[in-house]
Amino acid sequence: RVKEHGKTGFQRYTAEMNDTAIQTLIMEEWLNKALEEEQFVLFYQPQIKIESNRIIGMEALLRWRHPNLGLIPPGEFIPLAEETGLIIPIGEWVLRTACKQNVAWQQAGFEPMKMAVNISPIQFHQGCFVEVVLDALQESGLDPQYLELEITEGIAMFQVDQVIHKLQILRNHGVQISIDDFGTGYSSLTYLKKFPIHKLKIAQEFVRGLTFDPDDAAIVQAIIAMAHSLKLDVIAEGVETNEQLEFLTSVECREIQGYIYSRPLPAHELTHIMPTIAAHHVG
Ligand code: C2E
Ligand code: MG
Ligand code: MG
Ligand code: MG
C-alpha cells in the first residue's frame, strides 16, 4: 500500500475502514473510551523570555496514548472530537489537568509561570464555557493570572458579541487570552480592536521562512511592531534555528517557543530538565 507510506498506525488503521459512517462511529467509540480509560496525556512546551533566558510559560499540548497504536498527535483526532462534540469533555479534562500541573510545579518550588491551554471554538461556544474555566481554576487553586487561553481567529465566525462578552468576563477574573496562529485566519485586525486580548502568537508558518523568505520576514516584523503599538505581548512559535532566533531578537520579539529550546515533553521529564533548558531555577 504505497499511498499510505509514511502514515502513522492510526491513519493506516482508519484508512482501512472504507465506510466513512462506520469509521466515524468506531472512532467516536474509541474517543469515548479514551476519555473513560484516561488514555489522554498532556505534553508541555516551554515558552522562553529571550532577554532573561527564563521559562515564562508552558503550552499544554494534547496527545492520545492508544494502547495498541501508541502516541497519536492532536491533528489526527481533534477534528473528529470537534465534529462529534467530544471536544467539550476532552477540553474540560485538558483545562483541569493543565491547571493542576501548573499548581504542582509551583508547589515543587519553580517560579510561577503561565499555563497556556488551546481552546477549540466549539468548546468556547458552549453555554457554560466561562464556568468550566472558573471551576478548573477553583478546583486546582491556580491563580487566574497563570492561566492563558489560546483562542484562534475562527472563534469569531459567529456570535461575535457573545465571544467578546465571554472574553471580558474571563479577563475580569484575571485570565489571560492569546490569539494562536495569528495571521492565518481572517479579518484579524477587527479582533485586535474588539477583543480584550493580551497576546499574539506568531504562526509557525511565518517563522519557518523568516530567514530566507523576505515576505515572511516582513509579515513577522509587521506583527511585532503592531503588537507593540497596541501594547500586546507577542510570542513567536515554531522557532527551530539560531538564525530565526537572531532575526526575532533583532526585531524586538521578546518571547519564543520552539524546538530550539525544547520539544513538548511529559510533565515529569520537564521537571527534571527545566533547570537546564533555561535559567529558570536561578533565584
Ligand atoms: P498549536 O496550538 O499551534 O501548537 C503548536 C504546534 O507546533 C504543536 O503541535 C507543537 O508540538 C508544534 N511545535 C512546537 N514547536 C515547534 C517547532 O519548533 N517546530 C515544529 N515543526 N513544530 C513545533 P501539536 O502538539 O501536534 O499540536 C497541533 C495542534 O493541535 C495545536 O497547534 C493545536 O491547534 C491543537 N491542539 C493541541 N492540543 C490541544 C488541546 O488540548 N485542545 C485543542 N482544542 N487543540 C489542541
Ligand atoms: Mg497553541
Ligand atoms: Mg499555534
Ligand atoms: Mg493551532
Side-chain angles (χ1 to χ4, degrees):
R1 291 199 160 206
V2 179
K3 68 173 195 256
E4 280 162 30
H5 179 77
K7 286 190 172 181
T8 66
F10 186 65
Q11 284 170 324
R12 253 197 322 273
Y13 188 96
T14 51
E16 275 160 17
M17 301 185 277
N18 48 20
D19 185 314
T20 330
I22 291 178
Q23 186 178 322
T24 306
L25 269 175
I26 293 175
M27 280 278 293
E28 192 177 346
E29 180 66 32
W30 280 16
L31 279 174
N32 256 313
K33 212 173 157 209
L35 201 56
E36 270 168 31
E37 301 190 351
E38 296 175 39
Q39 292 171 3
F40 291 113
V41 281
L42 289 184
F43 278 33
Y44 300 90
Q45 186 178 37
Q47 302 177 326
I48 309 291
K49 183 165 209 143
I50 300 171
E51 196 187 17
S52 57
N53 203 37
R54 276 167 192 271
I55 298 175
I56 44 124
M58 290 280 182
E59 178 174 5
L61 293 158
L62 183 62
R63 273 97 182 91
W64 176 8
R65 209 186 284 285
H66 190 279
N68 307 123
L69 302 174
L71 213 57
I72 303 170
E76 289 183 34
F77 62 89
I78 283 184
L80 185 79
E82 288 178 326
E83 258 172 63
T84 56
L86 277 169
I87 193 66
I88 290 177
I90 295 173
E92 195 174 326
W93 177 86
V94 171
L95 263 168
R96 282 193 275 114
T97 307
C99 287
K100 278 187 224 157
Q101 182 57 55
N102 203 13
V103 169
W105 272 321
Q106 287 185 18
Q107 287 175 346
F110 290 103
E111 242 175 72
M113 57 191 168
K114 271 184 278 187
M115 176 61 74
V117 177
N118 291 285
I119 304 296
S120 155
I122 296 182
Q123 192 187 355
F124 188 90
H125 282 291
Q126 67 174 304
C128 57
F129 178 68
V130 171
E131 285 74 20
V132 169
V133 174
L134 298 180
D135 278 357
L137 286 167
Q138 200 176 13
E139 186 191 73
S140 60
L142 182 67
D143 182 333
Q145 67 171 311
Y146 298 121
L147 176 63
E148 179 176 300
L149 303 180
E150 294 194 1
I151 60 172
T152 54
E153 295 159 53
I155 221 158
M157 296 266 278
F158 64 104
Q159 296 184 321
V160 178
D161 290 340
Q162 253 207 51
V163 170
I164 296 170
H165 181 64
K166 285 183 179 178
L167 290 175
Q168 251 148 11
I169 300 175
L170 289 164
R171 193 201 169 108
N172 291 344
H173 275 91
V175 175
Q176 307 270 303
I177 313 286
S178 63
I179 298 194
D180 203 355
D181 305 326
F182 181 76
T184 62
Y186 72 106
S187 65
S188 342
L189 299 183
T190 309
Y191 308 144
L192 291 186
K193 208 180 138 183
K194 284 193 183 165
F195 285 16
I197 54 162
H198 299 85
K199 189 183 207 171
L200 303 180
K201 295 194 77 175
I202 302 173
Q204 190 176 319
E205 75 173 75
F206 302 128
V207 174
R208 196 175 297 125
L210 208 53
T211 51
F212 55 84
D213 184 336
D215 292 342
D216 284 336
I219 289 169
V220 167
Q221 213 166 338
I223 294 175
I224 294 164
M226 189 170 59
H228 288 165
S229 319
L230 293 166
K231 306 224 174 350
L232 296 172
D233 289 340
V234 62
I235 186 167
E237 63 178 343
V239 182
E240 294 183 350
T241 67
N242 273 318
E243 291 72 28
Q244 291 168 341
L245 180 62
E246 270 162 37
F247 180 93
L248 287 162
T249 310
S250 75
V251 294
E252 285 177 72
C253 180
R254 297 179 190 118
E255 297 176 14
I256 63 148
Q257 179 183 344
Y259 293 170
I260 190 170
Y261 273 98
S262 173
R263 287 177 179 262
L265 294 169
H268 64 274
E269 283 185 43
L270 277 164
T271 305
H272 283 295
I273 65 166
M274 242 189 303
T276 61
I277 36 180
H280 189 244
H281 61 305
V282 181

